[in-house]
């Protein structure tokens, strides 16, 4: 027999679906009607920044990475101290005097607000800026999934513990990736972002003179490369001196990074460990990417999408910040 209760329940469920759709799924067309030019705006600002700062593409890519590993991709890395924010992620160990590009993010936000105010989140700006940066550097393009909202808190302690440290073991780094749902292929592919950019001496000088308390350099360092690095980073020199992460093509996104690992010319300990750790599952992936740039580009694009899916705030969660540096109303 037909039930009016059944009919009412069905109508209620249908209305609920349309009025409150599931927002867990990000979409590449999220702003197609509310801010259709968002991608071109981001691209224009990044292109302009690149004219005076060839490092900025790598720096913007890194910001997205360091954002997503702490509380998910919520733009929390952008928050300054103020209001309810008593500790900023910017001054956490992995970011302090190292993370950069915040001014470019602010410029992107200003340009977007001029075109479509109150619509695009700072978290999505980081995702878009990373894709544009890789693409402009000669790397792959991909359809960035969008619809993240901005977090209301910063997590400095999380930044200190969740972001991989350049002196960590491969096992530890693998565990940190697994903790946010990323696998071995993601780890190797995303490490390939070190195809461009710079690193300060302080992030790897423990490899040059007294590796793990041995009194000797890291044995996995190519001898010629070691001599160059020791000259750039003398034992009692400035830890802030910049070094190319990829000495062969420092500002181009390509697979030379992986070829460097095969010849023991990975700059960071965590780079070289991908290839030099005996029996590691990463070794075959490194070999594949070193031999096949197309395979690397495809994997990198997918891994960036995977990383961008880490715990986004959606729907009515969080907010759309009007200023990426501070929570609304603070």
């Amino acid at each position: 027999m037909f039930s009016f209760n059944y009919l009412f329940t069905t109508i209620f469920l249908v209305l609920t679906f349309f009025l409150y759709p599931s927002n867990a799924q990000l979409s590449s067309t999220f702003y197609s009607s509310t801010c259709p030019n968002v991608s071109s705006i981001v691209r224009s600002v990044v292109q302009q920044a690149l004219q005076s700062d060839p490092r900025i593409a790598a720096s913007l890519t890194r910001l997205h990475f360091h954002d997503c590993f702490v509380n998910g991709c919520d733009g929390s890395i952008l928050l300054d101290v103020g209001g309810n924010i008593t500790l900023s992620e910017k001054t956490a160990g992995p970011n302090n005097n190292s993370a950069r590009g915040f001014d470019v993010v602010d410029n992107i936000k200003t340009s977007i607000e001029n075109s479509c105010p109150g619509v695009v989140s700072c978290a999505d700006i980081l995702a878009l800026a990373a894709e544009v940066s890789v693409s402009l550097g000669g790397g792959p393009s991909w359809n960035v999934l969008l619809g993240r909202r901005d977090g209301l808190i910063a997590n400095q302690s999380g930044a200190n513990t969740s972001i991989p440290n350049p002196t960590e073991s491969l096992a530890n780094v693998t565990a940190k990736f697994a903790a946010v749902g990323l696998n071995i292929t993601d780890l190797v592919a995303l490490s390939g972002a070190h195809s461009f950019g710079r690193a300060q001496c302080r992030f790897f000088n423990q490899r040059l003179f007294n590796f793990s308390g041995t009194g000797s350099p890291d044995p996995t360092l190519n001898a010629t490369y070691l001599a160059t690095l020791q000259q750039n980073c003398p034992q009692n020199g400035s830890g802030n001196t910049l070094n190319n992460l990829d000495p062969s093509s420092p500002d181009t996104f390509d697979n030379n990074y992986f070829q460097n690992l095969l010849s023991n010319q990975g700059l960071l300990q965590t780079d070289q460990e991908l290839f030099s750790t005996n029996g590691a599952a990463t070794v075959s992936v490194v070999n594949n990417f070193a031999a096949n740039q197309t395979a690397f580009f495809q994997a990198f694009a997918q891994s960036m999408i995977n990383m961008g899916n880490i715990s986004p705030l959606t729907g009515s969660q969080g907010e759309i910040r009007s200023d990426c540096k501070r929570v609304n109303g603070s």
Side-chain angles (χ1 to χ4, degrees), residues 133-206:
S133 296
V134 170
S135 174
L136 290 173
S141 298
W142 60 93
N143 289 324
V144 180
L145 301 183
L146 301 164
R148 301 168 192 81
R149 289 169 65 84
D150 295 320
L152 305 176
I153 60 169
N155 185 356
Q156 188 185 88
S157 62
N160 281 321
T161 57
S162 300
I163 297 171
N165 183 304
T167 64
E168 281 188 291
S169 69
L170 178 59
N172 283 2
V173 175
T174 302
K176 288 185 175 182
F177 271 71
V180 291
L182 299 177
N183 63 24
I184 288 291
T185 302
D186 296 317
L187 163 57
V188 179
L190 293 172
S191 296
H194 289 169
S195 169
F196 59 2
R198 318 283 185 267
Q200 298 173 40
C201 292
R202 62 191 174 99
F203 289 119
F204 61 86
N205 56 11
Q206 88 289 348

Side-chain angles (χ1 to χ4, degrees), residues 204 208 221 224-234 243 266-267:
F204 61 86
L208 306 183
L221 258 174
T224 306
Y225 189 42
L226 170 64
T228 300
L229 295 177
Q230 287 176 330
Q231 193 169 13
N232 291 350
C233 305
N243 300 258
L267 183 64

Side-chain angles (χ1 to χ4, degrees), residues 11-74:
I11 292 172
F12 175 78
L13 289 173
V14 170
L15 285 173
T16 300
F17 177 81
F18 283 108
L19 290 173
Y20 305 99
S22 169
N23 288 294
Q25 199 67 34
L26 303 178
S27 166
S28 61
T29 59
F30 188 83
Y31 298 114
S32 60
S33 61
T34 54
C35 195
N37 296 325
V38 62
S39 295
S40 59
I41 294 171
V42 174
R43 189 177 190 89
S44 175
V45 177
V46 175
Q47 276 180 315
Q48 188 174 6
L50 272 170
Q51 291 176 7
S52 58
D53 182 5
R55 297 171 57 198
I56 198 62
S59 299
L60 291 170
T61 306
R62 186 170 181 250
L63 280 184
H64 183 42
F65 172 68
H66 281 209
D67 181 41
C68 289
F69 267 66
V70 184
N71 289 5
C73 310
D74 65 347

Side-chain angles (χ1 to χ4, degrees), residues 205-218 235:
N205 56 11
Q206 88 289 348
R207 303 183 70 202
L208 306 183
F209 303 99
N210 184 23
F211 182 62
S212 297
T214 61
S216 301
D218 184 341
Q235 209 153 5

Side-chain angles (χ1 to χ4, degrees), residues 88-326:
S88 171
E89 291 175 26
K90 292 180 181 181
T91 51
N95 298 325
N96 194 35
N97 297 319
S98 169
R100 59 193 299 276
F102 299 108
D103 55 334
V104 178
V105 173
D106 288 339
N107 291 342
I108 294 170
K109 180 65 171 174
T110 298
S111 295
I112 291 174
E113 288 298 302
N114 288 338
S115 181
C116 12
V119 171
V120 180
S121 68
C122 300
D124 276 348
I125 286 173
L126 289 178
L128 287 163
E131 190 275 338
V132 162
S133 296
V134 170
S135 174
L136 290 173
S141 298
W142 60 93
N143 289 324
V144 180
L145 301 183
L146 301 164
R148 301 168 192 81
R149 289 169 65 84
D150 295 320
L152 305 176
I153 60 169
N155 185 356
Q156 188 185 88
S157 62
N160 281 321
T161 57
S162 300
I163 297 171
N165 183 304
T167 64
E168 281 188 291
S169 69
L170 178 59
N172 283 2
V173 175
T174 302
K176 288 185 175 182
F177 271 71
V180 291
L182 299 177
N183 63 24
I184 288 291
T185 302
D186 296 317
L187 163 57
V188 179
L190 293 172
S191 296
H194 289 169
S195 169
F196 59 2
R198 318 283 185 267
Q200 298 173 40
C201 292
R202 62 191 174 99
F203 289 119
F204 61 86
N205 56 11
Q206 88 289 348
R207 303 183 70 202
L208 306 183
F209 303 99
N210 184 23
F211 182 62
S212 297
T214 61
S216 301
D218 184 341
T220 66
L221 258 174
N222 174 288
T224 306
Y225 189 42
L226 170 64
T228 300
L229 295 177
Q230 287 176 330
Q231 193 169 13
N232 291 350
C233 305
Q235 209 153 5
N236 298 312
S238 168
N240 299 325
T241 303
L242 295 173
N243 300 258
N244 295 325
L245 282 160
D246 174 2
S248 58
S249 53
D251 296 319
T252 303
F253 194 98
D254 52 30
N255 72 332
N256 286 355
Y257 165 84
F258 296 103
Q259 295 169 9
N260 295 338
L261 300 186
L262 303 191
S263 57
N264 291 333
Q265 295 186 77
L267 183 64
L268 305 179
Q269 178 181 327
T270 45
D271 291 327
Q272 195 58 50
E273 284 173 336
L274 298 174
F275 182 70
S276 297
T277 304
N278 288 333
T282 53
V283 175
S284 62
V285 187
V286 170
N287 279 321
N288 180 33
F289 292 165
N292 187 337
Q293 181 166 277
T294 301
F296 165 49
F297 279 11
Q298 290 174 344
F300 184 84
Q302 184 57 55
S303 291
M304 286 295 283
I305 292 169
N306 296 345
M307 185 180 77
N309 280 332
I310 298 173
S311 306
L313 300 175
T314 57
S316 59
Q317 299 171 311
E319 66 181 11
I320 305 297
R321 280 182 220 144
S322 55
D323 179 346
C324 291
K325 300 185 296 298
R326 52 184 58 90

